[in-house]
Amino acid sequence: MNGGASSASGSGYLSASKLALLVCVEQYSRHYDWGPATLSELGQFLVTSLYEATSWMDNGWHDLRDSFSKIHVHALDRSLLAIVCLRLADLHTIDALHVFFDDIARLVVDAEARIEPDGDAILLDSESVFGIFVRRCFLAFNQLEFYQISRFFAECQQMASVLSGQQQVVEQTMHSQMEMQEHVEALICKLEEESRTPVPEKMQRMIRRSLDRLPGYSRIHYLRYLDLVRRGESKQSEQSLRRFFDSNAIKDNRTIYQYALLYLAAMRVQLGMVDGARHALTEATHVARDCQDHLCLLYIVCWECRLLFDMLQTQKDGKTEVALRQSLGALVAKASSMHNYELEAAGRILQTDLLVATNAQPTDVFENLVRVRALVVEHDVGRLRTAWYLTAARAWMKHEKS
């Protein structure tokens, strides 16, 4: 990573580069003993940087490092870079970051205000270039959500490492984080393959390790949601689901509320919360229709079929069976017309499960299994391979018993 004007924290205005400039503003305000030449050079650099931020910040933290290196503080016989690095090293916790923003905000005053200077500090006019910059950064920082503060802090730590010449360490850390993110995605795929299989203890340990290593990665909340659903934790899984969609709602301008409701319904279906699942599916249907999101509507039908199938398993009811057969027929037909082979295969697997549950002829069951297998293999629907094997195993067990 080679920081720029946009922030990985998703904060919009605020970025690690601007934190470095804030440190320079703080140093400018608090050091009379640097001498007029140094203060003048630093002031000119800051004014130029703030006016031309979009033109040079995009080039990254290395340009920032070069600019700091050129400003020499004769009174201390050190470059501004060394002083900035020392100050950034003090901001080694999120609490220290909060204190820094609170302290620098106190340097800004209204032009008419008669406030005594804080020691030897130079107070900044709220309408000046420096004052406006500090106020905007302070406001942006206070508007960050907790997960955004964590990302902003991580970005600032990476920048501090680059400025202090530890780029190799940063690259190794980023490589490790990328590996962990790939690891998380692999775990998610495994858990998504079949929602009703127990999670092995080895996988549980891998999930816990991922949660500890990537606390600011939004997909980690989705992984935790999947894990908690399989462990039967309804309240905690819903909280993780909300965190996941809260974090992605800021990064994605598209409407995603219908998918939040869909995943909430999926969780309730898997945990046997029939009334809650119905309510969430109904609400998701209304929102998806308003957005004309046909793909989401197709997923809703799929989970409605799952709900009806579970209801049929617990209580045999002719009306429920008829409704399930009609819904499955509609799901398969619509998915096929939309060339969504994954949902078509999911619908046909449920049709096979229904044949097994209603004691259909073994030839009908295994013919359907062969068709589904061909669909899964032909269109490489990898996530449903485990579901197919489990359905086939249930069919063989039922056949052996009969």
Side-chain angles (χ1 to χ4, degrees), residues 206-221:
M206 293 164 70
I207 290 171
R208 285 195 293 269
R209 179 168 170 260
S210 300
L211 293 172
D212 293 338
R213 292 281 297 276
L214 292 171
Y217 184 46
S218 65
R219 291 278 285 177
I220 212 76
H221 298 303

Side-chain angles (χ1 to χ4, degrees), residues 215-231:
Y217 184 46
S218 65
R219 291 278 285 177
I220 212 76
H221 298 303
Y222 180 58
L223 174 62
R224 184 167 174 77
Y225 156 77
L226 292 174
D227 179 40
L228 289 168
V229 168
R230 281 147 189 78
R231 288 158 52 185

Side-chain angles (χ1 to χ4, degrees), residues 134-203:
V134 170
R135 286 193 295 125
R136 289 189 68 183
C137 290
F138 179 71
L139 179 61
F141 182 76
N142 282 337
Q143 290 177 337
L144 295 183
E145 300 289 342
F146 177 75
Y147 79 92
Q148 290 177 299
I149 293 177
S150 299
R151 291 183 187 176
F152 175 60
F153 175 73
E155 183 189 358
C156 294
Q157 292 295 298
Q158 290 179 9
M159 179 195 66
S161 298
V162 172
L163 294 183
S164 60
Q166 298 176 3
Q167 174 65 12
Q168 185 177 1
V169 176
V170 174
E171 289 177 350
Q172 290 175 350
T173 302
M174 290 184 61
H175 181 69
S176 176
Q177 286 183 344
M178 289 176 64
E179 286 184 343
M180 284 300 299
Q181 289 177 5
E182 292 174 359
H183 186 59
V184 167
E185 297 306 316
L187 287 171
I188 287 174
C189 288
K190 286 182 179 294
L191 291 179
E192 283 183 332
E193 283 181 359
E194 171 50 48
S195 60
R196 298 182 182 184
T197 54
V199 180
E201 180 58 32
K202 182 179 179 180
M203 188 179 290

Side-chain angles (χ1 to χ4, degrees), residues 99-111:
V99 172
F100 169 78
F101 275 92
D102 288 341
D103 286 345
I104 199 168
R106 295 191 187 100
L107 296 176
V108 181
V109 297
D110 293 332

Side-chain angles (χ1 to χ4, degrees), residues 353-390:
D353 282 327
L354 179 59
L355 290 173
V356 173
T358 54
N359 300 314
Q361 290 295 322
T363 53
D364 295 336
V365 173
F366 292 110
E367 283 178 5
N368 214 45
L369 277 171
V370 171
R371 284 196 295 269
V372 177
R373 179 62 177 168
L375 184 64
V376 169
V377 172
E378 180 182 356
H379 298 287
D380 194 24
V381 189
R383 290 199 302 179
L384 291 178
R385 286 195 179 96
T386 302
W388 183 88
Y389 281 117
L390 290 171

Side-chain angles (χ1 to χ4, degrees), residues 336-352:
S336 178
S337 68
M338 293 175 64
H339 303 290
N340 190 316
Y341 303 111
E342 184 177 36
L343 285 181
E344 182 183 353
R348 292 192 181 278
I349 288 174
L350 268 176
Q351 284 180 331
T352 307

Side-chain angles (χ1 to χ4, degrees), residues 22-61:
L22 280 173
V23 169
C24 290
V25 171
E26 179 195 47
Q27 298 300 311
Y28 174 83
S29 176
R30 292 188 179 278
H31 287 286
Y32 280 109
D33 55 350
W34 282 11
T38 302
L39 286 175
S40 176
E41 189 177 2
L42 176 57
Q44 184 177 358
F45 163 72
L46 284 171
V47 170
T48 303
S49 300
L50 296 181
Y51 273 121
E52 301 178 1
T54 55
S55 65
W56 72 269
M57 278 190 185
D58 289 335
N59 295 327
W61 297 329

